[in-house]
């Protein structure tokens, strides 16, 4: 027998072994899918799903800024979640519902019945039915065992990669299979999202809610996403929820339309009870990370504040602030923990340019702070910098602009830097609280909506658009019984 025959025989043996091994795995790991009642093949057991959820739960909480501590709201979400779980195929399973202290709009589920809702998602909802739709959708992912399915499919692709690696040394094929395997780790598939929507309709109908509100919330999410893209001027960016839940409102409405579930004659919407529960919620970033009251940024923990013109809109990131305009000009602000002296040498080391290239250098004392400033001209842009000393911290402002816009924004930037002061030394600033959701009864007056817009304490730029979005005022705003105000 020649070498080719030996290789052929060996390949057949490997394939037969894999085939027998696969049959053994499949026959020993088939179980009933709770949501369909059908026997399906899962590599992961329900017990393993529970263990994964329990292990990952603390990591999720830490990654999303901790738990939003509001006993009234937590009890409300838990009772609503438990009510929906009781209509599901896992009515005896203990689910854990957690409100994450984050302003991003997202919701997701871990195996084992761990459901997460961000603070930002909750206050974007308009009523109880919309919130119930989000929760029901995540419950659907758990009851359909989508994580176990994804893991099983990923295992199968990995197994195929090993087989091809043993039989064929073609690196292109191996690379293709490995990349395919990694796709299953990104998010649930579209088919799984559709299945979660179908299950959500089932649970909502059984609980007496209006499933149509699921589609309404996704429509609002799409509107919110468009506004977010407009604010950050990044047309390639989308919302966190729409990234992980790719179903459009149109498709969800089709799911509802084609559902065989019996929709209640007079379904629950629950606007009144929902708005009562979210009254007083913190809006935006966590207060300990600083907050905006109109065009003033206040950081009580670090005891500083500064103000800016309506030309700028500031984004609050964990390690820095970014002020953007309708043009190309930006302001960058961060904090350097250092014992270095605030001098020309410091500016040179910070910006990474020779001292001789820092023009108009100035060192002065303003509001009991030592301030160093200078100008750096480059081929494509101009930098204007301010460094403000306070014990072992140096607060740093950078204006990034160009020749055409420098004269427009230079004075405005200086005003921002010179407005820097201690919160504790200003009684008015000390008395200000972070923005909260406040629920007001609509006076049904034509001037009511326009009058309360002026009371919003958000940054001036985009404040009215944000107000209109979180209230979903696109259609017949005067008919709304209650309005969310942010102040």
């Amino acid at each position: 027998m020649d070498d080719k025959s030996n290789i052929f025989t060996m390949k057949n043996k490997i394939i037969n072994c894999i085939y027998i091994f696969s049959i053994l795995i499949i026959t020993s790991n088939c179980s009933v899918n709770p949501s369909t009642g059908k026997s399906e093949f899962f590599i992961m057991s329900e017990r393993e799903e529970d263990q994964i959820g329990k292990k990952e739960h603390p990591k999720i909480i830490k990654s999303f800024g901790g738990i939003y501590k509001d006993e009234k709201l937590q009890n409300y979400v838990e009772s609503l979640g438990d009510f929906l779980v009781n209509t599901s195929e896992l009515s005896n399973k203990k689910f854990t519902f957690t409100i994450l202290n984050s302003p991003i709009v997202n919701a997701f589920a871990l195996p084992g019945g761990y459901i997460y809702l961000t603070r930002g998602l909750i206050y974007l909802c308009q009523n109880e039915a919309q919130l119930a739709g989000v929760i029901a959708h995540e419950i659907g992912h758990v009851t359909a065992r989508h994580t176990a399915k994804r893991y099983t499919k990923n295992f199968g692709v990995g197994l195929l990669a090993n087989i091809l690696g043993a039989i064929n040394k073609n690196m292109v094929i191996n690379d293709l299979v490995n990349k395919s395997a990694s796709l299953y780790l990104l998010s649930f598939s579209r088919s799984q999202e559709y299945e979660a929507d179908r299950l959500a309709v089932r649970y909502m109908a059984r609980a007496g809610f209006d499933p149509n509100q699921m589609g309404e919330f996704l429509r609002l999410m799409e509107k919110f996403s468009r506004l977010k893209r407009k604010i950050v001027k990044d047309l390639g960016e989308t919302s966190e929820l729409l990234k992980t839940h790719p179903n459009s409102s149109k498709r969800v409405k089709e799911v509802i339309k084609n559902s065989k579930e019996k929709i209640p004659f007079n379904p629950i919407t629950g606007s009144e009870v929902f708005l009562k529960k979210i009254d007083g919620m913190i809006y935006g970033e966590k207060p300990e990370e600083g907050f905006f009251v109109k065009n003033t940024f206040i950081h009580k923990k670090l005891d500083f504040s500064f103000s800016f013109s309506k030309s700028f809109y500031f984004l609050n990131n964990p390690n820095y602030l970014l002020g953007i305009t309708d043009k190309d000009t930006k302001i960058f602000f961060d904090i350097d923990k250092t014992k270095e002296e605030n001098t020309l040498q410091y500016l040179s080391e910070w910006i990474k340019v020779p001292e001789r290239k820092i023009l108009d250098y100035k060192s002065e004392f303003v509001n009991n702070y030592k301030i160093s400033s200078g100008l750096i001209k480059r081929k494509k842009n101009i930098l204007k910098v301010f460094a403000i000393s306070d014990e072992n911290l140096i607060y740093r402002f950078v204006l990034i602009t160009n020749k055409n816009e420098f004269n427009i924004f230079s004075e405005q930037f200086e005003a921002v830097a010179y407005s820097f002061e201690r919160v504790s030394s200003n009684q008015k600033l000390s008395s200000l609280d972070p923005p909260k959701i406040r629920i007001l009864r609509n006076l049904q007056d034509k001037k009511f909506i326009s009058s309360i817009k002026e009371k919003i304490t958000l940054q001036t730029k985009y404040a009215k658009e944000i107000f209109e979005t979180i209230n979903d005022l696109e259609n017949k705003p005067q008919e709304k019984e209650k309005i969310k105000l942010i102040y």
Side-chain angles (χ1 to χ4, degrees), residues 440-455:
L440 301 180
R441 186 165 295 280
N442 192 343
L443 298 179
Q444 306 300 322
D445 186 291
K446 289 183 178 181
K447 296 181 180 179
F448 176 72
I449 299 294
S450 58
S451 65
I452 65 172
K453 282 182 182 179
E454 302 303 320
K455 298 180 181 179

Side-chain angles (χ1 to χ4, degrees), residues 95-98 108-110 113-117 135 138-139 142:
F95 276 65
T96 301
F97 299 93
T98 303
F108 49 92
L110 286 183
Y114 291 84
I115 308 291
Y116 303 91
L117 307 166
I135 296 173
E138 301 307 329
I139 292 171
V142 177

Side-chain angles (χ1 to χ4, degrees), residues 464-481:
K464 292 180 180 179
E465 289 172 86
I466 292 172
F467 169 79
E468 289 170 359
T469 301
I470 69 164
N471 280 291
D472 195 17
L473 294 181
E474 191 172 334
N475 299 314
K476 302 179 180 179
Q478 297 302 334
E479 293 184 7
K480 282 187 170 288
E481 292 185 9

Side-chain angles (χ1 to χ4, degrees), residues 154 157-158 161-162 171 173-183:
N154 186 48
V157 174
N162 290 332
M171 296 303 293
I173 294 178
N174 285 339
D175 185 57
L176 178 63
V177 174
N178 288 331
K179 283 184 178 178
S180 298
S182 68
L183 294 177

Side-chain angles (χ1 to χ4, degrees), residues 197 201 211-220 222 247-259:
D197 283 330
V201 172
N212 290 297
Q213 289 300 321
M214 285 175 56
E216 288 301 300
F217 181 68
L218 268 178
R219 174 190 57 77
L220 182 57
E222 290 158 1
N247 291 6
S248 68
S249 58
K250 184 178 179 181
R251 286 173 180 166
V252 170
K253 288 177 181 178
E254 284 296 317
V255 170
I256 297 167
K257 182 180 178 181
N258 297 329
S259 174

Side-chain angles (χ1 to χ4, degrees), residues 245-283:
H245 300 70
N247 291 6
S248 68
S249 58
K250 184 178 179 181
R251 286 173 180 166
V252 170
K253 288 177 181 178
E254 284 296 317
V255 170
I256 297 167
K257 182 180 178 181
N258 297 329
S259 174
K260 295 179 181 179
E261 302 297 329
K262 187 176 180 180
I263 309 300
F265 173 69
N266 189 21
I268 300 169
T269 300
S271 296
E272 186 80 18
V273 64
F274 172 77
L275 293 174
K276 184 177 180 181
K277 296 296 183 181
I278 70 167
D279 192 13
M281 278 188 77
I282 294 291
Y283 177 88

Side-chain angles (χ1 to χ4, degrees), residues 290-308:
F291 57 92
F292 296 92
V293 176
K294 291 192 178 291
N295 291 346
T296 297
F297 179 71
I298 300 169
H299 203 305
K300 289 191 175 182
K301 187 176 180 180
L302 294 178
D303 194 21
F304 75 84
S305 73
F306 64 83
S307 300
F308 49 93

